Amino acid sequence: MGSQERRTEQRREQREALRERILEVSREIVKREGFASLSMRKLAEAIDYSPAALYLHFKSRGDIARALRVEGHASLRDAFLAHTSIADPAARLNAMGRAYVEFGLAEPETYRLMFMEHTDSAQAVAEAQRKGDDHAAEQGAATLSLIADAFAELRAADRLPAHAAPLACAEGLWANLHGIVALKLTGAALPETPATTLVELSLDAWFAPANRTEPRFISANRPDTSTR
Amino acid sequence: MGSQERRTEQRREQREALRERILEVSREIVKREGFASLSMRKLAEAIDYSPAALYLHFKSRGDIARALRVEGHASLRDAFLAHTSIADPAARLNAMGRAYVEFGLAEPETYRLMFMEHTDSAQAVAEAQRKGDDHAAEQGAATLSLIADAFAELRAADRLPAHAAPLACAEGLWANLHGIVALKLTGAALPETPATTLVELSLDAWFAPANRTEPRFISANRPDTSTR
DNA sequence: GTCTATAGTGTGATAGAC
DNA sequence: GTCTATCACACTATAGAC
């Protein structure tokens, strides 16, 4: 009985180890060449097993993608957590925004896998949500709430108009920064402005009044307060 | 001689017509199923020719993509030109920004082809620029300058700080809106906020002072002007 | 110019022997 | 659990006859 248990325990550990190894190699291939060029054959050769062996640990190629997305979201979340100690919510959002873009540019292929090639049909997405196995989306939502929380703090301090929902603001800021990363990653000739400058402009647009004495754009209608 | 010329002229026209037909069918397939599922076989079958015939009119599948991108940029530019008559530059930028997102959501597959799957290597891009045959990029730059012009007007009216370059602002705004479209097109579960709301928030962030009496975000540092 | 035929290469996934 | 062998496809692009 005792030895029996030990044996099955060993089996389980070996199994786990191989799964981990598959994931590890996959991660490296994706980082280097992108998920598109991660084929089951190539992967099998790299770990010195036959292609068929992979299907004992992952249901499909897409299943590996899911696992890698989960890893990616965890590491993005870590990048955010490094800034949670910043007290001022606007300053915190600035730091997290910068961290987000840095993450995307530092790990372009992982970022692509997470946010740019999830082209599943709408019904597949709904299916995954219903079954509750879209772990990446759950993680994404959790990370996003770090941002939403900061916006909620801004609102609590009356530094955000009442009509702006914190979650919507968080998603808006996220989308804006995603655009910068995405355009850079597609490698087109435009935009020619460096990403850091684009980030600066975007964050200033959102948080300028919190960072400087003059608003970024001066209204033509508003009375000039400097002549009082 | 006259009849000779007529004959070659007919040939040229037939040739042109077939090229146009190929493009037309390609456009429809891309609109319906996306460029990824536009195969030379499928295309050939649809126009009732052999696959080989296509290579007489287009160097490769990518060459067809280029032609379609050029078409897409032309139609995007048209959408922008419809708003050039708006006198106030901030209002014009608002209208063009909305038009941009509408274009992307209305023609998702064309948009994807134009801005989301141009994953050529950096050196290929440089090569194309050197040879001057990246017509899409040239068109893109031309369209972008419609936006940059409006920012330049804002600056001329002292409604934009001197340190903000109009072209950089244009690219920044573009990138921000692209992010909204791109996230919606990848069909992930997030963001759950509707695109129109995200656009509203983004444009408000950029142009709020021009549209309302109170700035969107209230600074904690700035003296409160309402207590004078 | 247009065709047929095919080369050449890749893919994800599975059946069945061991 | 792991293998070999293979199915069943799909693709771009070209050679060579007509």
Side-chain angles (χ1 to χ4, degrees), chain A residues 26 28-43 61 109 117:
Chain A
S26 298
E28 269 156 30
I29 294 180
V30 167
K31 255 200 243 188
R32 246 192 356 259
E33 316 168 34
F35 180 72
S37 79
L38 173 70
S39 77
M40 299 305 261
R41 292 156 124 78
K42 195 192 290 186
L43 177 51
R61 184 169 170 270
E109 296 299 346
E117 36 197 50

Side-chain angles (χ1 to χ4, degrees), chain A residues 107-172:
Chain A
E107 300 253 26
E109 296 299 346
T110 305
Y111 187 91
R112 234 196 218 92
L113 179 59
M114 291 166 66
F115 298 115
M116 296 171 70
E117 36 197 50
H118 196 287
T119 195
D120 304 353
S121 70
Q123 90 187 34
V125 170
E127 174 90 354
Q129 281 185 310
R130 189 180 57 73
K131 289 165 62 180
D133 63 348
D134 190 351
H135 297 104
E138 286 167 32
Q139 276 181 302
T143 304
L144 192 63
S145 67
L146 288 178
I147 304 295
D149 286 349
F151 273 106
E153 285 180 48
L154 272 184
R155 179 148 107 176
D158 265 335
R159 293 164 65 189
L160 184 64
H163 74 272
L167 181 59
C169 287
E171 292 189 330

Side-chain angles (χ1 to χ4, degrees), chain B residues 59-82:
Chain B
K59 208 167 92 278
S60 70
R61 182 169 170 270
D63 202 30
I64 296 180
R66 260 215 300 283
L68 292 178
R69 272 200 291 266
V70 167
E71 287 189 2
H73 272 101
S75 104
L76 176 58
R77 187 178 170 78
D78 285 349
F80 277 176
L81 289 178

Side-chain angles (χ1 to χ4, degrees), chain B residues 131-186:
Chain B
K131 289 165 62 180
D133 64 350
D134 190 352
H135 298 103
E138 288 168 31
Q139 276 180 303
T143 304
L144 192 63
S145 67
L146 288 177
I147 305 295
D149 285 350
F151 274 105
E153 285 179 50
L154 271 185
R155 179 148 108 177
D158 268 333
R159 293 164 63 189
L160 183 65
H163 75 271
L167 181 59
C169 288
E171 292 189 332
L173 178 60
W174 167 39
N176 286 176
L177 298 178
H178 167 71
I180 297 171
V181 178
L183 283 181
K184 285 297 173 186
L185 293 197
T186 52

Side-chain angles (χ1 to χ4, degrees), chain A residues 169-192:
Chain A
C169 287
E171 292 189 330
L173 178 59
W174 167 39
N176 287 174
L177 297 177
H178 168 70
I180 296 171
V181 178
L183 283 180
K184 286 296 174 187
L185 292 197
T186 53
L190 301 176
E192 56 184 5

Side-chain angles (χ1 to χ4, degrees), chain B residues 18-37:
Chain B
L18 184 50
R19 188 192 150 94
E20 202 42 59
R21 180 153 166 64
I22 293 172
L23 226 41
E24 189 182 323
V25 172
S26 298
R27 197 185 310 131
E28 269 157 30
I29 293 180
V30 167
K31 255 199 244 188
R32 246 192 355 260
E33 316 168 34
F35 180 71
S37 80

